[in-house]
Amino acid sequence: MSSPLKIMLGVVALVAMGVAGAQAVPYPSKPVRVIVPFAGGGIDVLVRALGNELSQKWGQPFVVENKPGASTFIGAELAARSPADGYTLLATTDPTFTSNRHLFKALPYDPDGGFEPVIQMVKGDNLVFAHPNVPFTDLQEMVAAAKKGRQHFSFGSYGNGTQPQLVFGYLNKREGVDLLHVPYKGIAPVMMGVASREVDLSVASPGVAGEMIKSGRVRPLAVAGDKRLPQFPNVKTTAEQGFPYLKSFIWYGLFAPKGTPPEIVNKLNAEIASILRSSAFAEQQVNSKGMTVMAGSPREFAAVIKQDTAFVGEMVKAANVKPE
Protein backbone atom coordinates (compact mmCIF):
# COMPACT_ATOMS: atom_id res chain seq x y z
CA MET A 1 0.00 0.00 0.00
CA SER A 2 1.40 3.39 -0.98
CA SER A 3 2.29 5.96 1.67
CA PRO A 4 -0.29 8.56 0.51
CA LEU A 5 -3.02 5.95 0.71
CA LYS A 6 -1.93 4.90 4.18
CA ILE A 7 -1.97 8.53 5.32
CA MET A 8 -5.45 9.08 3.86
CA LEU A 9 -6.82 5.93 5.53
CA GLY A 10 -5.26 7.01 8.80
CA VAL A 11 -6.92 10.41 8.60
CA VAL A 12 -10.29 8.78 7.83
CA ALA A 13 -9.87 6.49 10.82
CA LEU A 14 -9.03 9.40 13.12
CA VAL A 15 -12.06 11.38 11.91
CA ALA A 16 -14.29 8.36 12.42
CA MET A 17 -12.93 7.92 15.95
CA GLY A 18 -13.56 11.59 16.65
CA VAL A 19 -17.15 11.40 15.43
CA ALA A 20 -17.78 8.25 17.44
CA GLY A 21 -16.26 9.89 20.50
CA ALA A 22 -18.44 12.97 20.07
CA GLN A 23 -21.53 10.84 19.71
CA ALA A 24 -20.59 8.92 22.83
CA VAL A 25 -20.53 12.04 25.03
CA PRO A 26 -23.69 11.84 27.14
CA TYR A 27 -26.06 14.78 27.48
CA PRO A 28 -25.59 16.92 29.45
CA SER A 29 -21.80 17.11 29.63
CA LYS A 30 -21.69 20.78 30.73
CA PRO A 31 -23.98 23.29 32.48
CA VAL A 32 -27.43 23.87 30.99
CA ARG A 33 -28.81 27.41 30.84
CA VAL A 34 -32.57 27.82 31.37
CA ILE A 35 -33.89 31.25 30.37
CA VAL A 36 -36.94 32.42 32.32
CA PRO A 37 -38.41 35.64 30.85
CA PHE A 38 -39.71 36.80 34.24
CA ALA A 39 -38.14 38.35 37.34
CA GLY A 40 -39.49 35.64 39.63
CA GLY A 41 -42.95 34.20 40.21
CA GLY A 42 -44.35 30.69 40.15
CA ILE A 43 -42.55 29.53 37.03
CA ASP A 44 -39.20 30.68 38.40
CA VAL A 45 -39.76 28.71 41.61
CA LEU A 46 -40.79 25.56 39.74
CA VAL A 47 -37.92 25.68 37.24
CA ARG A 48 -35.33 26.13 40.00
CA ALA A 49 -36.80 23.15 41.89
CA LEU A 50 -36.71 21.03 38.73
CA GLY A 51 -33.18 22.24 38.01
CA ASN A 52 -32.01 21.05 41.41
CA GLU A 53 -33.48 17.62 40.78
CA LEU A 54 -31.93 17.38 37.31
CA SER A 55 -28.55 18.55 38.60
CA GLN A 56 -28.54 15.78 41.20
CA LYS A 57 -29.63 13.22 38.62
CA TRP A 58 -27.23 14.18 35.81
CA GLY A 59 -24.32 15.79 37.68
CA GLN A 60 -24.44 19.06 35.75
CA PRO A 61 -25.84 22.40 36.96
CA PHE A 62 -29.04 23.77 35.47
CA VAL A 63 -28.56 27.53 35.72
CA VAL A 64 -31.64 29.77 35.64
CA GLU A 65 -31.18 33.14 33.94
CA ASN A 66 -33.97 35.66 34.47
CA LYS A 67 -34.51 37.84 31.40
CA PRO A 68 -37.72 39.75 32.16
CA GLY A 69 -39.51 42.42 30.18
CA ALA A 70 -41.33 43.24 26.96
CA SER A 71 -44.05 40.60 27.30
CA THR A 72 -41.38 37.82 27.38
CA PHE A 73 -39.88 39.05 24.08
CA ILE A 74 -36.37 39.50 25.52
CA GLY A 75 -36.03 35.99 26.90
CA ALA A 76 -37.78 34.27 24.01
CA GLU A 77 -35.65 36.01 21.38
CA LEU A 78 -32.45 35.19 23.26
CA ALA A 79 -33.40 31.51 23.51
CA ALA A 80 -34.45 31.30 19.86
CA ARG A 81 -31.08 32.67 18.73
CA SER A 82 -29.09 30.23 20.89
CA PRO A 83 -27.38 27.09 19.54
CA ALA A 84 -29.74 24.13 19.09
CA ASP A 85 -27.63 21.81 21.22
CA GLY A 86 -29.76 21.36 24.35
CA TYR A 87 -27.62 23.67 26.48
CA THR A 88 -29.97 26.66 26.27
CA LEU A 89 -33.65 26.17 27.09
CA LEU A 90 -36.63 28.49 27.51
CA ALA A 91 -39.10 28.07 30.37
CA THR A 92 -42.11 30.34 29.94
CA THR A 93 -45.86 30.72 30.29
CA ASP A 94 -48.50 30.23 27.62
CA PRO A 95 -48.82 33.85 26.34
CA THR A 96 -45.33 33.63 24.77
CA PHE A 97 -46.72 31.09 22.30
CA THR A 98 -50.49 31.73 22.31
CA SER A 99 -51.73 35.27 22.94
CA ASN A 100 -48.63 37.30 22.01
CA ARG A 101 -49.09 36.54 18.33
CA HIS A 102 -52.64 37.96 18.54
CA LEU A 103 -51.72 40.99 20.66
CA PHE A 104 -48.68 42.29 18.77
CA LYS A 105 -48.25 43.14 15.11
CA ALA A 106 -44.74 41.68 15.06
CA LEU A 107 -42.72 39.38 17.30
CA PRO A 108 -38.92 39.20 17.53
CA TYR A 109 -39.16 35.40 17.64
CA ASP A 110 -41.13 32.81 15.68
CA PRO A 111 -43.63 31.02 17.95
CA ASP A 112 -44.27 28.39 15.27
CA GLY A 113 -40.90 27.72 13.68
CA GLY A 114 -38.39 28.92 16.26
CA PHE A 115 -38.65 26.29 18.96
CA GLU A 116 -39.02 22.61 19.78
CA PRO A 117 -41.73 22.04 22.42
CA VAL A 118 -40.15 19.89 25.14
CA ILE A 119 -42.84 19.53 27.81
CA GLN A 120 -45.93 21.23 29.18
CA MET A 121 -44.99 21.06 32.84
CA VAL A 122 -48.05 22.26 34.75
CA LYS A 123 -51.36 24.02 34.19
CA GLY A 124 -53.77 25.88 36.43
CA ASP A 125 -57.27 27.31 35.99
CA ASN A 126 -57.78 30.89 37.12
CA LEU A 127 -60.40 32.23 39.50
CA VAL A 128 -63.03 34.87 38.82
CA PHE A 129 -63.48 36.90 42.02
CA ALA A 130 -65.17 40.06 43.33
CA HIS A 131 -65.37 42.40 46.28
CA PRO A 132 -67.27 40.65 49.12
CA ASN A 133 -70.00 43.31 49.22
CA VAL A 134 -71.17 42.94 45.62
CA PRO A 135 -74.84 41.96 45.25
CA PHE A 136 -74.14 38.48 43.87
CA THR A 137 -72.40 35.32 45.06
CA ASP A 138 -71.40 33.63 41.82
CA LEU A 139 -70.85 34.36 38.14
CA GLN A 140 -74.35 33.28 37.14
CA GLU A 141 -75.93 35.79 39.51
CA MET A 142 -73.56 38.52 38.33
CA VAL A 143 -74.51 38.03 34.68
CA ALA A 144 -78.22 37.99 35.58
CA ALA A 145 -77.82 41.26 37.51
CA ALA A 146 -75.81 42.86 34.69
CA LYS A 147 -78.48 41.89 32.14
CA LYS A 148 -81.15 43.67 34.18
CA GLY A 149 -79.16 46.85 33.66
CA ARG A 150 -80.01 48.31 37.03
CA GLN A 151 -76.36 48.39 38.08
CA HIS A 152 -73.15 48.59 36.08
CA PHE A 153 -70.20 46.47 37.19
CA SER A 154 -66.53 47.04 36.47
CA PHE A 155 -63.48 44.81 36.25
CA GLY A 156 -59.79 45.49 36.63
CA SER A 157 -57.13 44.15 34.26
CA TYR A 158 -53.34 44.26 34.45
CA GLY A 159 -52.52 45.17 30.88
CA ASN A 160 -53.60 44.89 27.26
CA GLY A 161 -54.78 41.39 26.43
CA THR A 162 -54.40 40.05 29.97
CA GLN A 163 -56.77 37.44 31.28
CA PRO A 164 -59.32 39.76 32.95
CA GLN A 165 -59.75 41.78 29.75
CA LEU A 166 -60.13 38.64 27.64
CA VAL A 167 -62.47 36.84 30.05
CA PHE A 168 -64.84 39.72 30.68
CA GLY A 169 -64.61 41.01 27.11
CA TYR A 170 -65.58 37.53 25.91
CA LEU A 171 -68.39 37.43 28.48
CA ASN A 172 -69.65 40.83 27.30
CA LYS A 173 -69.77 39.57 23.73
CA ARG A 174 -71.38 36.20 24.42
CA GLU A 175 -73.91 37.33 27.03
CA GLY A 176 -74.73 40.81 25.77
CA VAL A 177 -73.67 42.56 28.97
CA ASP A 178 -71.56 45.70 29.38
CA LEU A 179 -68.93 45.26 32.10
CA LEU A 180 -66.63 48.29 32.32
CA HIS A 181 -62.89 47.72 31.77
CA VAL A 182 -60.53 49.55 34.17
CA PRO A 183 -56.82 48.93 33.37
CA TYR A 184 -54.19 48.90 36.12
CA LYS A 185 -50.39 48.72 35.99
CA GLY A 186 -49.92 45.20 37.30
CA ILE A 187 -51.68 42.41 39.14
CA ALA A 188 -50.97 43.76 42.65
CA PRO A 189 -52.84 47.05 42.04
CA VAL A 190 -55.73 45.04 40.56
CA MET A 191 -56.00 42.94 43.71
CA MET A 192 -56.01 46.07 45.86
CA GLY A 193 -58.53 47.67 43.51
CA VAL A 194 -60.98 44.80 44.00
CA ALA A 195 -60.34 44.61 47.76
CA SER A 196 -61.10 48.33 48.12
CA ARG A 197 -63.94 48.15 45.57
CA GLU A 198 -62.47 50.60 43.14
CA VAL A 199 -63.60 47.88 40.75
CA ASP A 200 -66.01 45.01 41.31
CA LEU A 201 -64.33 42.05 39.59
CA SER A 202 -61.18 40.52 38.23
CA VAL A 203 -59.40 37.26 37.36
CA ALA A 204 -56.21 35.78 38.79
CA SER A 205 -54.55 32.48 39.58
CA PRO A 206 -55.18 30.71 42.90
CA GLY A 207 -51.59 31.48 43.83
CA VAL A 208 -52.26 35.21 43.50
CA ALA A 209 -55.84 35.43 44.77
CA GLY A 210 -55.86 32.53 47.23
CA GLU A 211 -54.76 34.32 50.40
CA MET A 212 -57.10 37.26 49.85
CA ILE A 213 -59.97 34.83 49.31
CA LYS A 214 -59.14 32.94 52.51
CA SER A 215 -58.95 36.21 54.46
CA GLY A 216 -62.32 37.34 53.09
CA ARG A 217 -61.00 40.41 51.32
CA VAL A 218 -62.32 39.15 47.97
CA ARG A 219 -65.06 36.65 47.10
CA PRO A 220 -64.56 33.81 44.59
CA LEU A 221 -67.30 33.60 41.94
CA ALA A 222 -66.10 30.78 39.69
CA VAL A 223 -63.24 28.57 38.62
CA ALA A 224 -62.70 29.39 34.96
CA GLY A 225 -62.39 25.78 33.83
CA ASP A 226 -63.96 22.32 33.92
CA LYS A 227 -62.94 21.11 37.40
CA ARG A 228 -63.27 22.55 40.86
CA LEU A 229 -60.11 23.38 42.78
CA PRO A 230 -59.16 21.28 45.82
CA GLN A 231 -58.34 24.50 47.72
CA PHE A 232 -61.83 25.90 47.08
CA PRO A 233 -64.11 22.88 46.65
CA ASN A 234 -67.31 24.90 47.09
CA VAL A 235 -66.54 27.30 44.22
CA LYS A 236 -68.40 26.19 41.11
CA THR A 237 -66.78 26.13 37.69
CA THR A 238 -67.85 28.37 34.82
CA ALA A 239 -69.09 25.22 33.08
CA GLU A 240 -71.29 24.30 36.06
CA GLN A 241 -72.78 27.80 36.00
CA GLY A 242 -73.76 27.66 32.35
CA PHE A 243 -70.70 29.23 30.72
CA PRO A 244 -68.70 26.26 29.35
CA TYR A 245 -66.98 28.47 26.77
CA LEU A 246 -65.46 30.71 29.45
CA LYS A 247 -62.00 29.44 30.35
CA SER A 248 -58.99 31.16 31.82
CA PHE A 249 -55.77 29.34 32.58
CA ILE A 250 -52.03 29.50 32.78
CA TRP A 251 -49.47 26.85 31.92
CA TYR A 252 -45.71 26.58 32.23
CA GLY A 253 -43.79 25.02 29.37
CA LEU A 254 -40.20 24.16 28.48
CA PHE A 255 -38.83 24.76 24.98
CA ALA A 256 -35.56 24.27 23.10
CA PRO A 257 -34.32 26.16 20.03
CA LYS A 258 -35.51 24.73 16.71
CA GLY A 259 -33.28 21.93 15.50
CA THR A 260 -32.33 20.60 18.93
CA PRO A 261 -31.73 16.85 18.45
CA PRO A 262 -34.85 14.79 19.20
CA GLU A 263 -32.91 12.47 21.50
CA ILE A 264 -32.11 15.44 23.75
CA VAL A 265 -35.69 16.73 23.63
CA ASN A 266 -37.02 13.26 24.51
CA LYS A 267 -34.49 12.77 27.29
CA LEU A 268 -35.43 16.08 28.90
CA ASN A 269 -39.12 15.28 28.50
CA ALA A 270 -38.83 11.84 30.11
CA GLU A 271 -36.77 12.95 33.08
CA ILE A 272 -38.79 16.09 33.83
CA ALA A 273 -42.06 14.14 33.52
CA SER A 274 -40.72 11.59 36.01
CA ILE A 275 -39.84 14.32 38.52
CA LEU A 276 -43.17 16.10 38.13
CA ARG A 277 -45.12 12.87 38.62
CA SER A 278 -43.32 11.92 41.82
CA SER A 279 -45.81 12.39 44.64
CA ALA A 280 -43.53 14.35 46.98
CA PHE A 281 -42.41 16.83 44.32
CA ALA A 282 -45.92 17.24 42.88
CA GLU A 283 -47.45 17.95 46.28
CA GLN A 284 -44.82 20.44 47.38
CA GLN A 285 -44.17 22.26 44.10
CA VAL A 286 -47.39 21.91 42.09
CA ASN A 287 -50.59 20.84 43.87
CA SER A 288 -50.08 23.12 46.88
CA LYS A 289 -49.90 26.09 44.50
CA GLY A 290 -53.20 25.36 42.78
CA MET A 291 -51.60 23.82 39.69
CA THR A 292 -51.91 20.40 38.04
CA VAL A 293 -49.12 18.25 36.63
CA MET A 294 -49.42 17.78 32.85
CA ALA A 295 -46.15 16.14 31.73
CA GLY A 296 -47.24 14.84 28.32
CA SER A 297 -45.08 14.14 25.29
CA PRO A 298 -43.56 16.84 23.04
CA ARG A 299 -46.12 15.97 20.37
CA GLU A 300 -48.99 16.35 22.84
CA PHE A 301 -47.57 19.70 23.95
CA ALA A 302 -47.44 20.92 20.34
CA ALA A 303 -51.12 20.03 19.97
CA VAL A 304 -51.98 21.95 23.16
CA ILE A 305 -50.22 25.05 21.85
CA LYS A 306 -52.14 24.88 18.57
CA GLN A 307 -55.47 24.44 20.35
CA ASP A 308 -54.88 27.17 22.92
CA THR A 309 -53.64 29.61 20.27
CA ALA A 310 -56.92 29.26 18.38
CA PHE A 311 -58.99 29.61 21.57
CA VAL A 312 -57.16 32.70 22.77
CA GLY A 313 -57.45 34.22 19.30
CA GLU A 314 -61.22 33.85 19.53
CA MET A 315 -61.22 35.59 22.93
CA VAL A 316 -59.03 38.44 21.67
CA LYS A 317 -61.36 39.02 18.74
CA ALA A 318 -64.48 38.92 20.93
CA ALA A 319 -62.92 41.31 23.44
CA ASN A 320 -62.01 43.66 20.55
CA VAL A 321 -58.39 43.92 21.66
CA LYS A 322 -56.33 45.60 18.96
CA PRO A 323 -52.74 44.44 18.35
CA GLU A 324 -50.01 46.87 19.37
Coordinates of all heavy atoms in Angstrom, one line a residue, residues 76 79-86 88-90 97 110-118 255-262 265 302:
A76 N -37.4 35.2 25.1 CA -37.8 34.3 24.0 C -36.8 34.5 22.8 O -36.4 33.5 22.2 CB -39.2 34.5 23.6
A79 N -33.4 33.0 23.6 CA -33.4 31.5 23.5 C -33.5 31.0 22.1 O -32.8 30.1 21.7 CB -34.6 31.0 24.3
A80 N -34.3 31.7 21.3 CA -34.5 31.3 19.9 C -33.2 31.4 19.1 O -32.9 30.7 18.1 CB -35.6 32.1 19.2
R81 N -32.3 32.4 19.4 CA -31.1 32.7 18.7 C -29.9 31.8 19.3 O -28.8 31.9 18.7 CB -30.7 34.2 18.8 CG -31.7 35.1 18.1 CD -31.3 36.5 18.3 NE -32.2 37.4 17.6 CZ -32.1 37.8 16.3 NH1 -31.1 37.4 15.6 NH2 -33.0 38.6 15.8
S82 N -30.2 31.0 20.3 CA -29.1 30.2 20.9 C -28.8 29.0 20.1 O -29.7 28.5 19.3 CB -29.5 29.9 22.3 OG -29.6 31.1 23.1
P83 N -27.7 28.3 20.2 CA -27.4 27.1 19.5 C -28.4 26.0 19.9 O -28.8 25.9 21.0 CB -26.0 26.7 20.0 CG -25.4 28.0 20.5 CD -26.5 28.8 21.0
A84 N -28.7 25.2 18.9 CA -29.7 24.1 19.1 C -29.0 22.9 19.5 O -29.1 21.8 18.9 CB -30.5 23.9 17.8
D85 N -28.4 22.9 20.7 CA -27.6 21.8 21.2 C -28.1 21.3 22.6 O -27.5 20.4 23.2 CB -26.1 22.2 21.3 CG -25.9 23.4 22.2 OD1 -26.9 23.9 22.8 OD2 -24.8 23.9 22.2
G86 N -29.2 21.8 23.1 CA -29.8 21.4 24.3 C -29.2 22.1 25.6 O -29.6 21.8 26.7
T88 N -29.2 25.5 26.0 CA -30.0 26.7 26.3 C -31.4 26.3 26.1 O -31.8 25.8 25.0 CB -29.6 27.8 25.4 OG1 -28.2 28.2 25.6 CG2 -30.5 29.1 25.7
L89 N -32.2 26.5 27.1 CA -33.6 26.2 27.1 C -34.4 27.4 27.5 O -33.9 28.3 28.1 CB -34.0 25.0 28.1 CG -33.1 23.7 27.9 CD1 -33.4 22.8 29.0 CD2 -33.4 23.1 26.5
L90 N -35.7 27.4 27.1 CA -36.6 28.5 27.5 C -37.8 27.9 28.3 O -38.4 27.0 27.9 CB -37.2 29.2 26.3 CG -38.3 30.2 26.5 CD1 -37.7 31.5 27.2 CD2 -39.0 30.6 25.2
F97 N -46.4 31.9 23.5 CA -46.7 31.1 22.3 C -48.2 31.2 21.9 O -48.5 30.7 20.8 CB -46.3 29.6 22.5 CG -44.8 29.4 22.5 CD1 -44.1 29.6 23.7 CD2 -44.1 29.1 21.4 CE1 -42.7 29.5 23.7 CE2 -42.8 29.0 21.4 CZ -42.0 29.2 22.6
D110 N -40.1 33.5 16.4 CA -41.1 32.8 15.7 C -41.8 31.8 16.6 O -41.1 30.8 16.9 CB -40.5 32.1 14.5 CG -41.5 31.4 13.6 OD1 -42.7 31.3 14.0 OD2 -41.1 30.9 12.5
P111 N -43.0 32.0 17.0 CA -43.6 31.0 17.9 C -44.0 29.7 17.3 O -44.2 28.7 18.0 CB -44.9 31.7 18.4 CG -45.2 32.7 17.3 CD -43.9 33.1 16.8
D112 N -44.0 29.6 16.0 CA -44.3 28.4 15.3 C -43.0 27.7 14.8 O -42.9 26.4 15.0 CB -45.1 28.7 14.0 CG -46.5 29.1 14.4 OD1 -47.1 28.5 15.3 OD2 -47.0 30.1 13.8
G113 N -42.1 28.4 14.3 CA -40.9 27.7 13.7 C -39.6 27.9 14.4 O -38.6 27.5 13.9
G114 N -39.6 28.6 15.6 CA -38.4 28.9 16.3 C -38.0 28.0 17.4 O -36.9 28.1 17.9
F115 N -38.9 27.1 17.8 CA -38.7 26.3 19.0 C -39.1 24.8 18.8 O -40.0 24.6 18.0 CB -39.4 26.9 20.2 CG -38.9 28.2 20.6 CD1 -39.4 29.4 20.0 CD2 -37.9 28.4 21.5 CE1 -39.0 30.7 20.4 CE2 -37.4 29.6 21.9 CZ -38.0 30.8 21.3
E116 N -38.5 24.0 19.6 CA -39.0 22.6 19.8 C -39.8 22.5 21.1 O -39.2 22.8 22.2 CB -37.8 21.6 19.8 CG -36.9 21.7 18.6 CD -37.5 21.0 17.4 OE1 -38.6 20.4 17.5 OE2 -36.9 21.2 16.3
P117 N -41.1 22.2 21.1 CA -41.7 22.0 22.4 C -41.1 20.8 23.1 O -41.0 19.7 22.5 CB -43.2 21.8 22.0 CG -43.3 22.3 20.6 CD -42.0 22.1 20.0
V118 N -40.7 21.0 24.4 CA -40.1 19.9 25.1 C -41.2 19.2 26.0 O -41.5 18.0 26.0 CB -38.9 20.4 26.0 CG1 -38.4 19.2 26.9 CG2 -37.8 20.9 25.1
F255 N -39.1 24.8 26.4 CA -38.8 24.8 25.0 C -37.3 24.7 24.7 O -36.5 25.2 25.6 CB -39.4 26.0 24.3 CG -40.9 26.1 24.4 CD1 -41.5 26.6 25.6 CD2 -41.8 25.7 23.4 CE1 -42.9 26.7 25.7 CE2 -43.1 25.8 23.5 CZ -43.7 26.3 24.7
A256 N -36.9 24.2 23.6 CA -35.6 24.3 23.1 C -35.5 24.9 21.7 O -36.5 24.9 21.0 CB -35.0 22.8 23.0
P257 N -34.4 25.5 21.4 CA -34.3 26.2 20.0 C -34.6 25.1 18.9 O -34.3 24.0 19.1 CB -32.9 26.7 20.0 CG -32.5 26.9 21.4 CD -33.2 25.8 22.2
K258 N -35.2 25.6 17.8 CA -35.5 24.7 16.7 C -34.3 24.0 16.2 O -33.2 24.6 16.1 CB -36.1 25.6 15.6 CG -36.7 24.7 14.4 CD -37.9 24.0 14.9 CE -38.6 23.3 13.7 NZ -39.8 22.5 14.1
G259 N -34.4 22.7 16.0 CA -33.3 21.9 15.5 C -32.5 21.2 16.6 O -31.6 20.4 16.3
T260 N -32.9 21.4 17.8 CA -32.3 20.6 18.9 C -32.6 19.1 18.7 O -33.7 18.7 18.4 CB -32.9 21.0 20.3 OG1 -32.6 22.4 20.5 CG2 -32.3 20.2 21.4
P261 N -31.6 18.3 18.8 CA -31.7 16.8 18.5 C -32.9 16.2 19.2 O -33.0 16.5 20.4 CB -30.4 16.2 18.9 CG -29.4 17.4 18.7 CD -30.2 18.6 19.1
P262 N -33.7 15.4 18.5 CA -34.9 14.8 19.2 C -34.5 13.9 20.4 O -35.3 13.8 21.3 CB -35.5 14.0 18.1 CG -34.5 13.9 17.0 CD -33.6 15.1 17.1
V265 N -34.3 16.3 23.3 CA -35.7 16.7 23.6 C -36.4 15.6 24.4 O -37.0 15.8 25.4 CB -36.5 17.1 22.4 CG1 -38.0 17.3 22.7 CG2 -35.9 18.4 21.8
A302 N -47.2 20.2 21.6 CA -47.4 20.9 20.3 C -48.9 21.0 20.0 O -49.4 22.1 19.6 CB -46.7 20.2 19.2

